[in-house]
Amino acid sequence: IFFLRKDFIMQISMKCSVAVHCLIFIHEAKGIAKVTSNLLAQSTGCNPVIIRNVISGLKKRNIEGIYCQDKKDAAKMILSLIEPGSSIGWGGSASVRELGVLDELKKAGHEMRDYPMKDKEVMGNPSYLGSCSSDYFLMGTNAITVKGELINIDGAGNRVACLIHGPKHVIVVAGMNKLVRNLEDGIDRIQTQVCPIIADATGRKTPCGVKGVCMDCQSPDCMCCSIVVTRRSRYDGRIKVVIVG
């Protein structure tokens, strides 16, 4: 499978096509059959215990994994995990925005602690201090291994910093397309598939944005300043990963 953009062709992982298949399958099966992890796995030809293995791997790392069949169920689950009157911080995650939970949390009267892009230009900004001391921090993850390791690459570093330490609770949203075999595959996925698209969309003058190829750059616009692997949570019940089918 190839993705054509401007002056380059970039190979996309087969997991992309599997994810598209899953979404279509879930949509078409509505009202006909209950879509379980086994049924979904059978339809894609995947091992029927992949999801359970990932959740088991997360549990061994003191991280709770929760599987949701679709975005609607994932949104309901996330809202149910957050106690009334809590303060909410979040990283720049398309996965979180697509679920619509930020608007729902705002309507419910939660204290929303935004950390806008302009505030990242100077260290020690009060808006960041508020975000990293929030009751709940919502974010996506760039990749997750079948063993339950979370892989994230960040430019400013505020997102991974809050994952590591600060907020009382962290809720991570991960689509099945983020699943990779190991750490090497996860980093490769991010640098060759994710970063070039983001760089191009945001106008960053990095090699991956201009040529579509990661060149281990030292550009001021570099998005790979920090590469963080979360292999275990020290604090019981702090990190929850919501896996969206």
Side-chain angles (χ1 to χ4, degrees):
I1 296 174
F2 293 92
F3 172 73
L4 181 62
R5 183 184 70 80
K6 288 185 177 178
D7 57 346
F8 74 96
I9 296 177
M10 181 172 57
Q11 188 170 1
I12 295 275
S13 167
M14 283 301 293
K15 293 183 179 65
C16 177
S17 60
V18 171
V20 172
H21 168 87
C22 290
L23 292 173
I24 295 173
F25 186 87
I26 291 170
H27 180 269
E28 294 298 323
K30 283 184 178 179
I32 300 175
K34 182 178 180 181
V35 182
T36 63
S37 60
N38 283 339
L39 182 60
L40 200 57
Q42 289 171 12
S43 75
T44 59
C46 297
N47 188 322
V49 296
I50 285 179
I51 296 171
R52 291 193 291 273
N53 283 346
V54 173
I55 291 176
S56 175
L58 288 167
K59 185 177 181 180
K60 291 177 182 177
R61 300 174 186 281
N62 204 27
I63 299 172
E64 182 180 354
I66 304 168
Y67 177 74
C68 294
Q69 184 172 299
D70 52 32
K71 291 181 180 180
K72 184 177 180 180
D73 287 346
K76 289 181 179 178
M77 174 56 67
I78 292 171
L79 294 174
S80 72
L81 294 173
I82 298 176
E83 297 181 1
S86 298
S87 55
I88 310 295
W90 64 93
S93 167
S95 300
V96 172
R97 290 196 301 271
E98 289 172 3
L99 295 180
V101 293
L102 295 179
D103 290 336
E104 293 300 319
L105 289 169
K106 187 175 181 179
K107 290 177 184 177
H110 292 279
E111 180 188 351
M112 309 300 289
R113 298 183 176 181
D114 189 15
Y115 183 43
M117 185 66 69
K118 62 181 178 63
D119 289 355
K120 299 178 183 180
E121 297 175 2
V122 180
M123 291 290 95
N125 195 293
S127 63
Y128 171 65
L129 300 178
S131 179
C132 68
S133 62
S134 58
D135 295 319
Y136 293 86
F137 187 80
L138 309 182
M139 61 177 289
T141 186
N142 295 135
I144 177 171
T145 72
V146 291
K147 293 182 179 181
E149 300 154 306
L150 306 180
I151 310 168
N152 285 282
I153 286 180
D154 209 350
N158 60 292
R159 185 173 61 97
V160 294
C162 288
L163 171 62
I164 295 170
H165 195 82
K168 293 179 182 178
H169 303 277
V170 178
I171 299 176
V172 180
V173 181
M176 287 294 291
N177 62 312
K178 303 292 182 68
L179 187 63
V180 296
R181 290 180 301 173
N182 51 46
L183 297 176
E184 291 76 15
D185 282 358
I187 294 173
D188 179 72
R189 175 192 182 276
I190 299 164
Q191 293 184 327
T192 62
Q193 298 178 29
V194 179
C195 288
I197 295 174
I198 295 176
D200 180 59
T202 56
R204 287 182 170 89
K205 302 303 181 182
T206 58
C208 66
V210 176
K211 297 293 184 181
V213 179
C214 178
M215 299 179 64
D216 192 26
C217 76
Q218 298 298 324
S219 166
D221 287 339
C222 178
M223 294 180 289
C224 303
C225 296
S226 299
I227 301 177
V228 174
V229 175
T230 303
R231 58 177 301 277
R232 182 173 177 81
S233 175
R234 173 172 290 182
Y235 307 99
D236 295 343
R238 179 174 181 264
I239 301 177
K240 293 178 173 60
V241 178
V242 177
I243 303 171
V244 187

